[in-house]
Structures are given as C-alpha cells and as structure tokens.
Amino acid sequence: MENVLQVFQPDVLFPMLIAMFFGIFVGGIPGLTATMAVALIIPITYYMSPLAALAMVVGVTFTSIFAGDIPATNLRIPGTPSSGAAVLDGHEMAKKGKGSLALSLDLFCSAIGGLIGVLILITVSSPLAKLALQFTNYEYFWLGIFGLSMSAVLSSGNVIKGLSSALLGVLISTIGIDITTGYPRFTFGNIELMGGIEFIPAMIGLFGISEVLKNIERGSSGLGVPTIKEKMGVPILEALKIIIKKPFVIIKSAIIGTFIGALPGAGADIGAWVAYGTEKKTSKKSKEFGTGIVDGVIAPTSANNAALGGTWIPALVFGIPGDSITAIVLGAFLMFGIQPGPLIFEQSGDIVTGLFTLAIIANIFLIFVGYLGIRAYSQILKMNTSIVMAIVVIFSMIGSYAIRNSFFDIYVMLLFGVVGYLFEKINVPTPPMILGIILGPMIEDNLRVGLTKTGGDMTLFFTRPISLVFVILITLTFLGGPISKLIGKIFGGDENK
C-alpha cells in the first residue's frame, strides 16, 4: 500500500509526464520506434528511484505507440511499426474529412485497450504466461502462418494478389546472412545486403513515399493532404458515442492484442494486424473495411496498446521479454537489483504493485497528453501542402537512417516507395508485403528448428493441440467465407428466390 501511495508523489508523476510528451514526439515521427524511445529514456533513469524510472518507461511506451497513429492517419505513414494497420481505415477517414474523428477514436481506444491489457496483466498474468510457455517452435511457426493468412483478409477481395504480395514479403525477409549456415542469400555480392532488409524503411517507403509520388503525379493543383480541408479539432463527444456503440469490438481486439503480446517475440505490431484481420473477418460489414469504417480504426488501436500489457506477462513471471521494449526494461530491472522471474512477486512485490499502478495512471494520462499531441500535430497540416510533403520526405529519411545509421536504408526506403506506387497502380495491396517481411523470419526460423528437432518429420507440426487449433483457424480464414455462403444458399435458398 505504501508503494502505491509513492506512485502519486511529484518525483514520480512529473518524470512520467515528461516521458509521455517525449513519447508523443518520437511516435509521431515515422521510423522512430517505441523501442528507440525507451532506449533513449533508460540512461536518464540511472540516478532515479526504481518507481520513477518505471514511470518514465511505462509513460513513454504507451504514448509513443498511440502517437504512431497520428501520421498514419493524416499522412498515410505509420509513425511506429504497430501503427501499420492504422493506415488502412484511419487514412481513408482522413480523406473523407474525418481524420480528427479517427484520431479521437485512436486516442480513447488506445487508453481503453491499454487499461484492458493492464487489467488482464494483473488478473491472469500467471496462467496466461504458462500458456505462452506451451508455445514451442511448432506453435510459433503456425502463429506466423496465421498472421500471414491475414493477408488474405487484407486484400480487398483479391486473395491471389494479397497472398502474392505477402509471399514476396517473405522472400524479401530471406535476404541477408542465413543465421543457420552463415551463408549469404540473395545479396549479389553487396555488403549492405548482408544484414538483410529492415522492415521499417520498407514500411515507410511503401506507405509514405508512395503517397508522395502519387501527389507529385497529380501535380501541384492536385496536391492535397485530406485533413487540411476539415476543422482541426478533437470531436470528443462524437468519438465517445461511437465507442459506446462498439464495446465488443474494443474488448475483443484488446483481448487478442494482450494474448499476442504475451507470446515472446510477437509484439504490438502483429497484435494490431491480427486484431484488424479478425474484426474484418467476423464483421457483417467486412466489405467496407479499407474504405474508412470506424471498426477498422478501433480494432488495431485497441489491440496494439493492449499488447503492451501482454508483453509484461512473460517478462515479469518468467524473465522472458515479450518484445524488444521489455527486453530493455529487463536490463533496467537488473540495474536496480530487481530479479524478474517467478519469485518477483514475493521478493519485489512492492515494485510490481507500483508498476501495475503506474500502467493504469499512464493510460489515464494518455487521454490528456494525446489530446495535446493531436492538436500540436494538426498545426503541421495548416502549412502549405508542398511544404508538408517535403517534411514527410525529410522525416522519412531521418527515420529510415536512424534504424542502423545507414544511408543504404534510405535507398531501400526510396526503392520501396516506387514499388508501393507501382503496386497501387496495378491494385496489388501493400500491407500483406509488410506482414511477410515482419513474419518471414519467425516462420522460417521456427520451421527449420522444428524440422531439426524431429529429423525432418512434420507430424508434430499438426498433432500438438495448440498447433492443431492454429491449423483450424487458418483453414477457416480461407474457407470460412465460401462455406458460410454455401450454408446460406442451402438454408436460405428459398428466401432469395
């Protein structure tokens, strides 16, 4: 109880607020990730108390994940990888003059989803972490395939083009040094390709630079950032009315995000895509997804912040980082003499209680800090559109370079910008390609390790219970629609006559 009260002290809350504003800044710049924000915050916390340090880490994480949706909605450039799904319907709403409403939904659903994730963390951390530990290479392989199958859902009716885009992404993910044999693949003698293709420059190019190229093609008279045409405000009441009507979408997406987040290595970006794909697949308005439907905004943003709570489950209970952020935080724990693992609740129970309390406070503060962030970034859109596009290119270059301090990544970004532009010309969806680049290493590595364990026998990939569940889900993803239509024709045939 004493530690809970300490959380409300100024020397804890004030650093948290500073970190949250910093998170808005970092998350709003394409290419600068939440992981990078946490890495930059950690050195500042060396001389702070453990609670103040955790306050800064938790604060910057939740706000940077949300802030990534701001450029994703306004400019079609995800600020962070977990905001990739936000471009699909958020930007479409912006093009209709409803960008502020989309961001308001993002803000409230991020806070609500984050709170749900934290509450799940508090109540079921131990059982859920035990389930996560049941995942071996076989289950992670199918998890990757299941995530990839979302490309069929994200393909706007053309499954073949969507799967082709996803498979191209998987192929791109194989470029670089083979971690098993140490042999270079598809590098063509280029040293820069030895490290592979970073998905963040690729994502910025596919979503951001392609948009700039489209604006250039339209000419100066056609240049236009959609949100400039609307009154820049934050329609809070309108957003709340929509949220009240969509509680199940938020709760379902937050649960999916938390579960995916609890799987080590999955993270908020995969959680957001799976939540979006699941919502589209189960919605009665599935054909409207990708055209600016509010469900398509609510689902991914509820999931990605909820996933942050999920990533803490294996980190606290077993000392296994759920993502790159908690990997950094585990190092900070050790710096403060805190040992993550099953005994943390007994040995450092006060710190864990403080962490849970800080996470709840951070999601409440997010509403106010995020509101100010939306208003601040809206000022950029009042500039001349040509200047806005120039700023987009500059920050895209900075974000791409910052990943590995490599000019080569800038060239990668520009190349994928051209690819994205050409793909849109022939109506090939680009989101599945990003999914392929992200999930490719997970699929390949776990397939190879699994086959090594079994001596090449695929049986265990299908006979383990959790693997079998994923196989069924993947089958339903592709065949669920045709089967339901067939059933509808059989039992509802007379009504259609």
Side-chain angles (χ1 to χ4, degrees):
M1 184 66 184
E2 180 182 348
N3 221 52
V4 172
L5 295 177
Q6 288 180 6
V7 165
F8 295 94
Q9 296 300 315
D11 62 343
V12 174
L13 293 182
F14 185 65
M16 173 185 270
L17 282 171
I18 293 176
M20 292 183 80
F21 281 110
F22 178 66
I24 292 289
F25 172 74
V26 172
I29 298 178
L32 302 186
T33 65
T35 305
M36 191 179 298
V38 173
L40 292 171
I41 282 288
I42 288 294
I44 303 173
T45 66
Y46 285 161
Y47 303 102
M48 292 183 173
S49 68
L51 271 183
L54 283 174
M56 294 193 77
V57 169
V58 169
V60 76
T61 305
F62 280 107
T63 49
S64 55
I65 292 292
F66 155 73
D69 290 350
I70 298 176
T73 299
N74 286 336
L75 302 171
R76 198 174 174 264
I77 310 175
T80 62
S82 59
S83 300
V87 304
L88 300 175
D89 284 277
H91 185 67
E92 290 300 318
M93 286 185 68
K95 286 164 67 174
K96 296 176 182 178
K98 296 181 179 180
S100 296
L101 175 59
L103 288 175
S104 299
L105 290 170
D106 281 331
L107 178 59
F108 286 109
C109 291
S110 290
I112 296 169
L115 285 171
I116 292 173
V118 172
L119 291 175
I120 293 175
L121 165 65
I122 294 171
T123 55
V124 299
S125 58
S126 183
L128 200 54
K130 287 177 182 176
L131 175 62
L133 278 187
Q134 298 300 313
F135 275 62
T136 62
N137 300 104
Y138 314 110
E139 285 76 23
Y140 275 113
F141 167 76
W142 286 115
L143 174 63
I145 295 294
F146 177 63
L148 205 60
S149 71
M150 291 295 106
S151 62
V153 181
L154 302 172
S155 302
S156 303
N158 196 324
V159 176
I160 300 299
K161 286 184 177 180
L163 287 176
S164 299
S165 179
L167 291 174
L168 180 58
V170 173
L171 181 64
I172 291 169
S173 74
T174 63
I175 295 173
I177 296 291
D178 185 333
I179 60 171
T180 303
T181 64
Y183 192 80
R185 300 183 299 188
F186 308 113
T187 59
F188 306 104
N190 189 323
I191 296 176
E192 297 284 0
L193 288 173
M194 293 287 189
I197 299 293
E198 279 286 337
F199 78 88
I200 291 179
M203 180 179 69
I204 293 173
L206 286 173
F207 290 132
I209 300 302
S210 63
E211 192 70 18
V212 173
L213 291 175
K214 283 196 298 182
N215 279 323
I216 292 173
E217 182 188 32
R218 286 196 290 264
S220 58
S221 60
L223 284 173
V225 177
T227 41
I228 293 177
K229 300 174 184 177
E230 63 174 311
K231 285 187 177 181
M232 297 312 299
V234 184
I236 294 175
L237 291 179
E238 187 178 356
L240 288 175
K241 287 179 182 178
I242 293 172
I243 288 170
I244 290 172
K245 295 177 182 177
K246 305 284 184 179
F248 296 112
V249 177
I250 298 172
I251 294 170
K252 178 173 63 177
S253 300
I255 291 172
I256 290 172
T258 306
F259 176 74
I260 297 292
L263 303 175
D269 46 352
I270 297 176
W273 284 110
V274 172
Y276 181 90
T278 302
E279 186 56 38
K280 180 179 179 180
K281 194 68 180 175
T282 57
S283 174
K284 295 179 180 178
K285 301 179 180 179
S286 60
K287 293 183 179 179
E288 296 181 29
F289 276 72
T291 63
I293 185 172
V294 293
D295 298 50
V297 174
I298 292 172
T301 196
S302 299
N304 59 22
N305 256 25
L308 295 177
T311 60
W312 282 92
I313 294 172
L316 288 176
V317 180
F318 298 101
I320 302 172
D323 62 354
S324 54
I325 294 174
T326 47
I328 297 172
V329 176
L330 287 180
F333 269 24
L334 297 174
M335 179 180 73
F336 287 110
I338 303 169
Q339 183 62 52
L343 298 178
I344 191 173
F345 295 95
E346 297 177 13
Q347 297 175 349
S348 305
D350 54 343
I351 294 294
V352 174
T353 303
L355 172 65
F356 292 161
T357 309
L358 286 169
I360 293 172
I361 294 172
N363 280 289
I364 295 172
F365 280 4
L366 173 60
I367 296 174
F368 304 101
V369 176
Y371 172 85
L372 295 175
I374 294 172
R375 296 300 297 263
Y377 274 95
S378 69
Q379 299 304 311
I380 296 174
L381 299 178
K382 293 181 180 179
M383 298 179 182
N384 182 282
T385 310
S386 301
I387 296 175
V388 173
M389 288 295 126
I391 292 173
V392 167
V393 174
I394 291 170
F395 278 116
S396 295
M397 293 174 71
I398 293 172
S400 298
Y401 176 82
I403 303 302
R404 297 188 293 191
N405 296 326
S406 170
F407 285 105
F408 180 75
D409 285 336
I410 296 177
Y411 303 143
V412 169
M413 174 202 71
L414 295 174
L415 175 62
F416 275 88
V418 175
V419 170
Y421 168 76
L422 294 176
F423 270 32
E424 292 198 15
K425 284 284 186 181
I426 57 176
N427 295 318
V428 174
T430 52
M433 185 187 293
I434 291 297
L435 265 181
I437 296 174
I438 293 173
L439 295 173
M442 175 192 288
I443 294 170
E444 182 190 7
D445 295 346
N446 286 291
L447 175 63
R448 294 175 73 170
V449 174
L451 289 175
T452 301
K453 286 180 178 178
T454 61
D457 185 5
M458 289 285 293
T459 305
L460 282 177
F461 282 91
F462 295 92
T463 55
R464 289 173 63 87
I466 299 177
S467 295
L468 191 58
V469 169
F470 275 123
V471 171
I472 294 170
L473 288 174
I474 293 165
T475 304
L476 289 175
T477 298
F478 289 102
L479 301 180
I483 291 173
S484 62
K485 286 180 182 178
L486 180 63
I487 293 173
K489 285 181 179 180
I490 293 173
F491 293 99
D494 294 333
E495 296 177 9
N496 297 328
K497 291 179 180 178

